[in-house]
Amino acid sequence: THGVERQAELRSEASRAAERLVPSAPPRPGPKRARSPYLVQRLRQTPEENLFNHVKFHLIKDAIEALPLATPRILDLGCGLQVSRSYLDALGLRFEYLGVDYEEAFGPDLVADLLDLASLPQRLPWSPEVVLVLDVLEHLHSDAEVLSDVLGSIHALMPEGAWIVLALPQMYRLD
């Protein structure tokens, strides 16, 4: 019992620390018709400000700042509720941002399915210098060949010299 209480106390301390370091995020977009009701519900119930995101986005910010880019153009594929934009902005990174998701209910800048990226390059306002694919691939397909095709499509839309930041699996899949 003491161990369980101590774990709860540590989680609470970590949460309070993250709250002090990360300003409140803007309100989440209002409801729209969801293609993936479970995912929409789950993401809306998951606090954006948590220790996992705090650490992940500090590392991503540091990696982007190390690149020779004055104001990086960031393409966030599978952006969901655009937590990347909120965190990187709150951490003081100067950047241009475009969030892409197939789920219109999340309110992305562009609606596109990552399983079919053929038309995406023509819809982008600029060539990305950094592409974020964070906690996305595990939601697309279980077939490794399909995922390989998706990665090939992502590579094809990236200009020479662009960087990709890829992370998986999503935290809630571990519970």
Side-chain angles (χ1 to χ4, degrees):
T1 307
H2 178 67
V4 171
E5 290 171 0
R6 181 66 182 143
Q7 285 178 345
E9 182 181 314
L10 289 173
R11 278 194 301 274
S12 179
E13 287 175 20
S15 178
R16 284 193 303 276
E19 287 172 10
R20 286 191 305 273
L21 295 171
V22 181
S24 295
R28 294 179 177 195
K32 292 184 182 176
R33 193 185 117 164
R35 280 180 55 186
S36 301
Y38 168 79
L39 184 58
V40 171
Q41 177 186 10
R42 186 66 186 207
L43 284 179
R44 286 200 169 126
Q45 289 174 345
T46 302
E48 289 179 5
E49 298 166 8
N50 57 57
L51 187 57
F52 177 77
N53 279 342
H54 177 78
V55 171
K56 176 173 67 176
F57 287 110
H58 270 82
L59 293 171
I60 290 170
K61 174 193 173 270
D62 290 348
I64 292 172
E65 284 184 332
L67 299 174
L69 305 170
T71 305
R73 292 184 306 263
I74 298 175
L75 177 63
D76 189 0
L77 297 176
C79 67
L81 296 168
Q82 301 182 18
V83 174
S84 300
R85 180 193 319 229
S86 299
Y87 261 91
L88 294 174
D89 187 52
L91 293 172
L93 184 68
R94 291 183 49 220
F95 59 97
E96 292 181 50
Y97 177 92
L98 186 75
V100 177
D101 204 287
Y102 79 94
E103 183 56 73
E104 187 177 350
F106 291 146
D109 299 308
L110 279 177
V111 175
D113 192 333
L114 299 187
L115 293 173
D116 183 18
L117 289 175
S119 68
L120 186 60
Q122 299 91 322
R123 298 172 60 202
L124 297 177
W126 33 250
S127 294
E129 296 168 313
V130 177
V131 176
L132 301 179
V133 185
L134 306 176
D135 310 317
V136 172
L137 292 179
E138 69 273 16
H139 299 287
L140 297 180
H141 208 282
S142 60
D143 185 324
E145 191 171 318
V146 171
L147 293 176
S148 181
D149 290 345
V150 169
L151 291 172
S153 296
I154 292 170
H155 182 261
L157 68 85
M158 295 172 60
E160 187 172 327
W163 294 82
I164 187 166
V165 179
L166 189 127
L168 62 143
Q170 186 159 24
M171 184 176 78
Y172 75 79
R173 295 287 190 195
L174 299 177
D175 60 12

